[in-house]
Amino acid sequence: MNIQEVIILIALLVGSYLIGNINFAVLISKLKKSDVRNKGSGNPGTMNMIREYGKFIGAITLIADVAKGAIPALIGWYVVGGIGFGQRSLTAGIFMDAPPRLGLYVAGVGVMLGHVFPVFFKFKGGKGIATALGVGLIAQPLIAPFAFGFGALFIHLTKLGALGSFSIISMPLAVEAFMLSSGMYEGQALWGIRLASIIIIFTMFSFTLFTHRKNIINLFSGTEHRTLIWGKEAKAIKEAKRQKALEEQSNA
């Protein structure tokens, strides 16, 4: 790998990081003339957006954050392709997995880093689940949708949002790491590149572990709040918030 190729990878990492700084939850809530960081859990993410602004706004936030993870990963895979490994075939890089997928992982960790530690928001970002799902969608397009469906069902049944979030991102990333470690991708013959890619994937997952550290502690201590998005309880909470907002407006 020559210096030009190293520069390309660094540029990809930095560019993806800057894209990760775009926080759609904050931007959308600003359009609603409020700030989601001052509401509910204070987390600028899908769950809090659903609780505070409803399912439709939450879905828009989810789609935007997934796209924010997927687009840099796809660009990294397409542009970098077989960097440092001879023939560059962009088409093969996308459809045949012939060249190594290093660009995908570099862009993925960059956008995750930007989402979790955004320089434009004083390094206080979201928890990174939807963005990681976007990266996983590019890496494992068949596994990621299944993982999302399983995670959503798990959250609905158990009311444990943190555990459901981990299942959503762990499946595609774990499958990708397994395929790399077992040499299932053509062009991934060099163990050093495979090991570096696995470390990058683990780093992406570690970001979400870090952002959920309080949830993990609460789970073990039995004090974790239940995640209520659907059902009668969720509707009752939403109605209580609506009534409180009306009271505040009448008293203003």
Side-chain angles (χ1 to χ4, degrees):
M1 187 176 294
N2 58 44
I3 187 64
Q4 182 181 1
E5 291 167 338
V6 171
I7 291 173
I8 291 173
L9 284 176
I10 293 174
L12 177 62
L13 181 67
V14 173
S16 299
Y17 171 80
L18 293 175
I19 292 174
N21 273 246
I22 303 171
N23 193 303
F24 289 102
V26 173
L27 294 175
I28 293 171
S29 66
K30 291 289 187 182
L31 292 175
K32 302 284 287 185
K33 297 182 180 180
S34 60
D35 192 333
V36 70
R37 293 170 296 181
N38 298 325
K39 292 179 172 289
S41 66
N43 176 56
T46 299
M47 291 290 189
N48 204 27
M49 291 292 282
I50 290 174
R51 295 189 196 102
E52 299 301 324
Y53 302 103
K55 297 183 182 68
F56 178 72
I57 297 297
I60 292 175
T61 306
L62 173 64
I63 293 170
D65 279 342
V66 169
K68 184 175 72 174
I71 292 172
L74 185 61
I75 290 173
W77 190 6
Y78 187 85
V79 172
V80 176
I83 189 169
F85 296 89
Q87 182 179 5
R88 293 175 183 270
S89 176
L90 301 181
T91 303
I94 291 177
F95 296 107
M96 295 174 58
D97 289 323
R101 295 145 64 96
L102 188 58
L104 189 161
Y105 309 134
V106 170
V109 78
V111 74
M112 282 289 297
L113 187 64
H115 182 84
V116 176
F117 304 111
V119 65
F120 298 122
F121 292 100
K122 299 180 180 179
F123 300 101
K124 295 179 181 179
K127 295 187 176 182
I129 296 299
T131 303
L133 178 62
V135 178
L137 187 64
I138 299 302
Q140 292 292 330
L142 297 180
I143 299 296
F146 170 79
F148 178 78
F150 175 83
L153 180 62
F154 183 89
I155 293 171
H156 176 63
L157 295 176
T158 66
K159 308 297 188 294
L160 296 174
L163 284 181
S165 297
F166 290 139
S167 67
I168 289 173
I169 64 167
S170 61
M171 285 187 193
L173 295 183
V175 170
E176 185 71 8
F178 171 76
M179 295 180 74
L180 279 167
S181 62
S182 59
M184 295 179 69
Y185 289 127
E186 258 185 87
Q188 293 282 5
L190 294 181
W191 171 247
I193 295 298
R194 281 162 42 199
L195 179 60
S197 299
I198 292 170
I199 291 173
I200 293 173
I201 290 172
F202 179 75
T203 301
M204 282 189 275
F205 183 74
S206 298
F207 285 156
T208 59
L209 283 178
F210 175 79
T211 57
H212 285 83
R213 60 194 182 280
K214 291 182 180 179
N215 302 90
I216 295 171
I217 293 171
N218 291 340
L219 280 171
F220 282 105
S221 63
T223 58
E224 174 71 351
H225 294 294
R226 295 189 302 164
T227 300
L228 299 172
I229 300 176
W230 302 279
K232 294 181 180 179
E233 290 178 277
K235 289 181 180 178
I237 292 173
K238 185 176 180 180
E239 180 61 24
K241 287 182 179 179
R242 191 181 72 84
Q243 291 295 335
K244 184 179 179 181
L246 290 174
E247 290 176 7
E248 290 176 351
Q249 289 178 2
S250 63
N251 294 331

